[in-house]
Amino acid sequence: MSVKKVAVIGAGVSGLGAIKICLEEGLQPMCFEKKNDIGGLWIYEEMPEVGNPGVYKSLTSNTSKEMTAFSDYPFPDHYPNYIHNTKMMEYLRMYASHFGLMKHIQFQSKVCNVRKHPDFSSSGQWEVVVEANRKQKTYIFDGVMICSGHYNKKNLPLQDFSGIQRFQGRYLHSWEYKHPDSFVGKRVLVIGIGNSGADVAGEISRVAEQVFLSTRRGAWIWNRVWDNGNPMDATLFTRYNRVIQKFCPKFLINSWTENKLNSRFNHANYGLQATHRILDYKTVFSDDLPNHIITGRVLMKTNVKEFTETSAIFEDGTEESIDAVIFATGYNFSFPFLDDDSGILDSQHSMFKLVFPVQLEKPTLAFIGILQPAGAIIPTSELQSRWVVHVFKGLKKLPSESDMLADINRRKRMAKQFVKNPRDVRQVRYIDYMDEIACELGVKPNLLSLLLWDIKLAIEIFYGPCTPYQYRLQGPGKWAGARTAILTQRDRILKPLRTRMLQHSEAASSGLFWSKSVCAIILFCVFMLTITLM
Ligand SMILES: Cc1cc2nc3c(=O)[nH]c(=O)nc-3n(C[C@H](O)[C@H](O)[C@H](O)COP(=O)(O)OP(=O)(O)OC[C@H]3O[C@@H](n4cnc5c(N)ncnc54)[C@H](O)[C@@H]3O)c2cc1C
Ligand SMILES: *[C@@H]1O[C@H](CO)[C@@H](O)[C@H](O)[C@H]1NC(C)=O
Ligand SMILES: *[C@@H]1O[C@H](CO)[C@@H](O)[C@H](O)[C@H]1NC(C)=O
């Protein structure tokens, strides 16, 4: 018996992609969303309900639009390269209406329980208990796609901060932070330097009397604006760079990248010096932080030793009086609708390729978007959905349980050298992970045959940004617009920047011609090298 009716839990970016892929493959999706709108994390709410993720008003993506798009639906060409949350919502609404997704979503419907149907071992079916209008209803589905997000539980480690109970000022998690208005003229301490910590500290520092940013491990600060003003991810996430990285010793790449970032501003002088090498930990983006530090609006601090009623004492012995503390200490994820004894997940949440739980007799339940790609999440979770739907339909088989466990262990070992922190096994390298899933599905672009039949496209795929459209060129789910989308991606990057028409166009185009010719020559050599070495 094959899967027909699929429950999709959550209508964030992962859920929307999952609904679309189910429809594309002829399944019947029914999506349950506890909020009354699509978009998940990207919805800005002044007062989020408890249990909903929240974002601050100014949140702008740290992945650029060409790398962030759904694989068969590029962002409109006039959209800026980095996307404000309101623009992201616009894009998601266009996507949902273009593919007719809204009628498959039930809003204000919270999934409370997912459990195996009594004859699961033969049917693979699931019982899904949904609460709407304070009434519970049980549905039966052939398959379940869990797209409930992994920023749904704030991590507030108060136990690590002695004296916080007696601190008389205000303290909150960055999750509750919306805009800087309530911090005007205040002395504010931000704890933790992730993407949120850097953003929040910078934003508040414009209006606060003083902002302190406390970090134990330091951070390498990346810039959205990369060489020649191109978006960072679209410049660095290329197949060409990936080949170089494979053959170059890691310490060289670390040094090269660290020198590059230090040439913008010296991380040691700025009090940001990290205890880890740059590739060992997740990336922090902030275009503004060095400006706030050099103007003294943000002062870097070590870890907090303890709080008094009105101040924080740091590990270096200094003491600063403080009015408010913001904990930018990250998030945890949880699946409250799965019982601990349901036999679906083990305590470590092991999943084959971060998607399929291994112990199930039938592969009819999958997790979508529960990972941290060092890149955009939309294309990653969309590709996961495409694979999952093929497994649901029986077109692709999963390996045996022991092979899946072996793969999970291999990933854990790799993660241990990639990130020093073993809890971060969900961190993946973007191109590697996309290719891995694409291979399962048979949609990885075949560069060798492209080199013979379509050299222009091959060059852009190899040297250009590794955009999601590459995974729509061949195999199941092929999209006729993919080739054009790839060949016009650079135009879409430039279009929103060129809002002031210049009299005579600069020499940009001849430069492009030269680099393309040189590329074509190098391309052949690198290919021969790749083929012989891989
Ligand atoms: C501050 C911040 C900035 C980020 N910036 C970027 C970025 O620039 N680029 C990028 O690619 N990624 C970014 N991310 C990662 C982000 O997680 C993804 O972009 C994406 O929003 C994840 O989507 P999702 O659909 O998987 O989860 P979510 O957006 O969390 O959506 C999950 C949905 O499921 C619903 N739900 C949960 N439980 C239930 C239930 N029991 N019943 C019914 N519905 C339920 C929720 O209401 C929600 O609508 C950022 C994350 C954060 C926190
Ligand atoms: C939550 O995540 C933090 C780090 O982000 C980690 O230290 C902590 O152990 C996690 N807590 C739980 C309950 O998983
Ligand atoms: C973007 O920011 C989010 C939220 O802090 C983070 O989880 C993600 O890793 C960042 N993306 C990149 C490519 O660094």
Side-chain angles (χ1 to χ4, degrees):
M1 214 188 87
S2 105
V3 170
K4 203 75 197 150
K5 288 173 64 183
V6 178
V8 174
I9 304 178
V13 300
S14 301
L16 290 174
I19 306 171
K20 152 75 168 55
I21 302 297
C22 284
L23 293 172
E24 180 180 312
E25 293 289 335
L27 302 182
Q28 296 162 10
M30 187 187 269
C31 173
F32 301 105
E33 169 55 58
K34 66 181 176 192
K35 299 191 195 179
N36 55 11
D37 201 355
I38 60 169
L41 184 134
W42 293 96
I43 308 173
Y44 170 76
E45 293 167 301
E46 191 76 29
M47 289 285 182
E49 273 172 48
V50 179
N52 283 352
V55 294
Y56 33 97
K57 193 154 194 170
S58 65
L59 178 72
T60 304
S61 74
N62 51 17
T63 52
S64 73
K65 65 170 179 176
E66 290 305 314
M67 303 297 288
T68 307
F70 287 103
S71 63
D72 56 357
Y73 197 76
F75 279 85
D77 55 2
H78 65 276
Y79 267 45
N81 284 284
Y82 290 98
I83 316 138
H84 186 255
N85 58 72
T86 50
K87 273 262 178 329
M88 181 67 102
M89 288 298 291
E90 259 175 49
Y91 171 73
L92 296 176
R93 285 191 212 294
M94 287 192 290
Y95 180 76
S97 82
H98 183 82
F99 292 105
L101 309 183
M102 295 307 272
K103 57 177 175 288
H104 302 279
I105 308 173
Q106 291 190 17
F107 291 104
Q108 296 192 310
S109 303
K110 181 179 172 184
V111 172
C112 321
N113 196 241
V114 174
R115 56 178 178 246
K116 291 176 185 170
H117 190 271
D119 48 55
F120 177 80
S121 49
S122 63
S123 70
Q125 287 182 320
W126 296 91
E127 291 181 349
V128 176
V129 183
V130 180
E131 189 179 298
N133 295 325
R134 271 173 272 133
K135 278 203 260 334
Q136 292 203 346
K137 192 172 163 195
T138 304
Y139 297 79
I140 293 176
F141 286 99
D142 304 322
V144 176
M145 295 168 91
I146 297 177
C147 311
S148 53
H150 72 147
Y151 291 99
N152 44 20
K153 219 170 108 188
K154 56 186 174 192
N155 172 41
L156 193 55
L158 292 181
Q159 69 284 358
D160 297 349
F161 294 91
S162 71
I164 189 73
Q165 293 80 5
R166 83 189 119 147
F167 178 65
Q168 285 166 357
R170 173 181 173 207
Y171 65 87
L172 60 154
H173 189 269
S174 60
W175 194 57
E176 292 150 72
Y177 171 78
K178 295 291 156 189
H179 40 66
D181 299 1
S182 52
F183 299 96
V184 176
K186 296 270 161 55
R187 295 172 65 84
V188 183
L189 168 63
V190 177
I191 295 180
I193 185 167
N195 286 282
S196 309
D199 267 2
V200 168
E203 188 165 290
I204 293 180
S205 76
R206 292 180 192 279
V207 297
E209 182 189 311
Q210 184 65 60
V211 168
F212 304 94
L213 179 51
S214 155
T215 168
R216 190 173 30 194
R217 60 158 68 224
W220 293 100
I221 305 295
W222 295 78
N223 211 2
R224 285 182 176 84
V225 185
W226 207 248
D227 294 354
N228 299 314
N230 290 317
M232 176 273 191
D233 53 356
T235 314
L236 293 185
F237 294 2
T238 65
R239 292 184 180 277
Y240 168 77
N241 277 350
R242 196 60 204 113
V243 170
I244 299 217
Q245 271 181 28
K246 273 206 179 108
F247 297 122
C248 232
K250 191 171 157 193
F251 76 92
L252 276 183
I253 302 180
N254 269 324
S255 309
W256 181 85
T257 325
E258 287 166 5
N259 286 339
K260 173 101 189 156
L261 296 191
N262 270 334
S263 70
R264 186 171 156 234
F265 68 94
N266 182 308
H267 281 60
N269 292 346
Y270 275 56
L272 283 161
Q273 182 76 329
T275 53
H276 55 272
R277 300 302 301 265
I278 192 156
L279 297 179
D280 290 343
Y281 204 68
K282 63 183 177 206
T283 43
V284 177
F285 280 84
S286 179
D287 305 76
D288 305 336
L289 189 59
N291 302 350
H292 296 306
I293 295 176
I294 203 167
T295 51
R297 291 192 290 257
V298 171
L299 299 180
M300 295 305 301
K301 283 289 186 179
T302 57
N303 215 20
V304 175
K305 198 171 90 199
E306 65 174 312
F307 286 96
T308 70
E309 282 82 359
T310 54
S311 70
I313 301 171
F314 297 88
E315 272 174 359
D316 57 7
T318 55
E319 180 170 357
E320 302 287 353
S321 69
I322 301 288
D323 301 312
V325 184
I326 299 180
F327 289 91
T329 36
Y331 300 84
N332 294 79
F333 61 89
S334 69
F335 307 107
F337 45 84
L338 298 181
D339 299 330
D340 287 341
D341 55 0
S342 62
I344 296 172
L345 282 175
D346 58 14
S347 60
Q348 298 194 350
H349 294 350
S350 305
M351 302 165 194
F352 178 53
K353 300 207 187 292
L354 306 176
V355 173
F356 285 103
V358 278
Q359 291 99 329
L360 296 178
E361 304 96 299
K362 301 265 174 178
T364 53
L365 178 137
F367 293 86
I368 307 291
I370 313 296
L371 79 174
Q372 286 231 318
I377 221 132
I378 290 183
T380 315
S381 61
E382 187 202 9
L383 194 58
Q384 288 179 329
S385 287
R386 289 169 70 192
W387 176 44
V388 164
V389 164
H390 279 249
V391 173
F392 278 7
K393 286 170 68 177
L395 299 171
K396 299 280 168 206
K397 291 263 170 304
L398 294 185
S400 69
E401 189 177 328
S402 61
D403 285 354
M404 289 199 277
L405 281 172
D407 188 80
I408 288 171
N409 287 329
R410 176 190 62 93
R411 190 177 293 284
K412 278 188 191 147
R413 275 197 309 277
M414 266 172 38
K416 267 192 197 129
Q417 29 169 293
F418 174 26
V419 276
K420 287 284 149 17
N421 205 336
R423 139 181 88 74
D424 280 340
V425 286
R426 290 178 183 278
Q427 181 128 4
V428 296
R429 285 208 164 91
Y430 181 72
I431 298 183
D432 291 2
Y433 184 77
M434 291 293 277
D435 278 355
E436 197 177 328
I437 302 295
C439 284
E440 296 288 329
L441 190 62
V443 299
K444 184 177 164 193
N446 184 340
L447 269 176
L448 275 184
S449 83
L450 279 178
L451 194 58
L452 293 175
W453 302 114
D454 195 345
I455 182 127
K456 193 172 165 199
L457 185 63
I459 289 178
E460 186 59 14
I461 288 186
F462 191 68
Y463 289 103
C466 186
T467 45
Y469 330 118
Q470 293 195 3
Y471 301 98
R472 288 277 186 182
L473 284 167
Q474 59 180 69
K478 187 172 157 176
W479 171 49
R483 180 177 188 273
T484 315
I486 294 170
L487 294 177
T488 53
Q489 58 201 11
R490 294 179 196 244
D491 301 336
R492 283 190 303 277
I493 293 179
L494 290 180
K495 171 88 192 240
L497 298 168
R498 299 209 162 140
T499 48
R500 177 178 152 250
M501 288 303 160
L502 300 180
Q503 287 300 321
H504 31 84
S505 65
E506 322 293 77
S509 52
S510 78
L512 204 65
F513 170 77
W514 274 108
S515 55
K516 271 192 181 160
S517 322
V518 174
C519 280
I521 298 163
I522 304 173
L523 175 82
F524 190 71
C525 309
V526 173
F527 259 124
M528 297 316 288
L529 191 75
T530 320
I531 297 157
T532 40
L533 292 176
M534 278 209 304

